[in-house]
Amino acid sequence: MGYPEDVLAPDEQLLLHRHPHWKMLFWPVVTLIVATAVAGFGAGMAARHLEGAARTPVLVAILVVWAIVVVWRCAARIISWKSTHFIITDRRVLIRQGVLTHTGIDIPMSRISSVQFRHGLFDRMLGTGTLIIESSSAEPLEYDDIPQVQRVHALLYHEVFDADRGRSDSGYR
């Protein structure tokens, strides 16, 4: 078993496991392309116009600046995307984030009082949106960039409705 199956209770069923939508990787990819093009241009100019001992430190400096920009603006965002998990089981909603410092929240299905989604024109074109979960004890929680947010909303709504129906059928109120 891999993640997230290893964090589930023995009889808990995984219904959905998603990372945020790929649109959050758009700007890191653009940054990578532009940084590489600028570094390549700078290295080409340095190789063409500088001679001997002056060329090497300039090329190393260009490489170091490129590496810093790529790690800071690209790699960190990709790792953040990959380490963010949105999970729905038959009992709860789990959100996990982080690599070095993990944060997470579990919302039992029985505590969810409302499920909403929001997506504008651009989000609809990409098939993503914001999922809003209201629980009985806190402010609404908003999760951006959920892929196929309408399907996730419908799944979560049906799970909450089935949990409510199960409690009312067994005499609990």
Side-chain angles (χ1 to χ4, degrees):
M1 277 194 308
Y3 189 81
E5 289 85 3
D6 56 353
V7 299
L8 302 180
D11 57 343
E12 190 172 16
Q13 182 182 7
L14 178 66
L15 302 176
L16 177 88
H17 176 211
R18 297 269 166 88
H19 294 285
H21 194 269
W22 60 264
K23 83 172 191 176
M24 80 180 282
L25 299 176
F26 177 77
W27 289 114
V29 169
V30 168
T31 301
L32 175 65
I33 292 168
V34 169
T36 302
V38 169
F41 180 76
M45 293 301 286
R48 184 173 183 200
H49 295 294
L50 296 176
E51 298 292 328
R55 182 184 310 166
T56 302
V58 171
L59 292 175
V60 169
I62 290 171
L63 179 64
V64 167
V65 169
W66 175 85
I68 289 170
V69 168
V70 167
V71 168
W72 174 49
R73 300 294 294 174
C74 302
R77 306 262 170 116
I78 292 169
I79 291 169
S80 173
W81 172 82
K82 187 67 176 164
S83 66
T84 300
H85 303 271
F86 183 81
I87 302 161
I88 298 176
T89 73
D90 58 341
R91 293 185 187 174
R92 58 190 168 147
V93 176
L94 299 89
I95 293 87
R96 300 288 187 266
Q97 296 174 311
V99 176
L100 300 176
T101 303
H102 290 261
T103 59
I105 185 169
D106 293 7
I107 307 167
M109 290 292 179
S110 61
R111 298 295 231 171
I112 296 175
S113 58
S114 173
V115 181
Q116 304 171 35
F117 71 91
R118 175 180 60 235
H119 57 184
L121 180 62
F122 188 65
D123 284 340
R124 285 194 314 244
M125 289 189 310
L126 293 176
T128 184
T130 301
L131 187 68
I132 304 158
I133 301 173
E134 290 185 45
S135 67
S136 57
S137 63
E139 295 279 327
L141 302 170
E142 294 191 17
Y143 301 101
D144 296 324
D145 299 326
I146 301 293
Q148 300 176 334
V149 71
Q150 287 180 293
R151 289 183 183 174
V152 174
H153 170 266
L155 172 68
L156 191 52
Y157 177 81
H158 288 297
E159 283 301 311
V160 170
F161 177 74
D162 289 345
D164 284 344
R165 189 179 63 211
R167 279 194 308 273
S168 63
D169 289 347
S170 62
Y172 292 99
R173 289 269 170 176

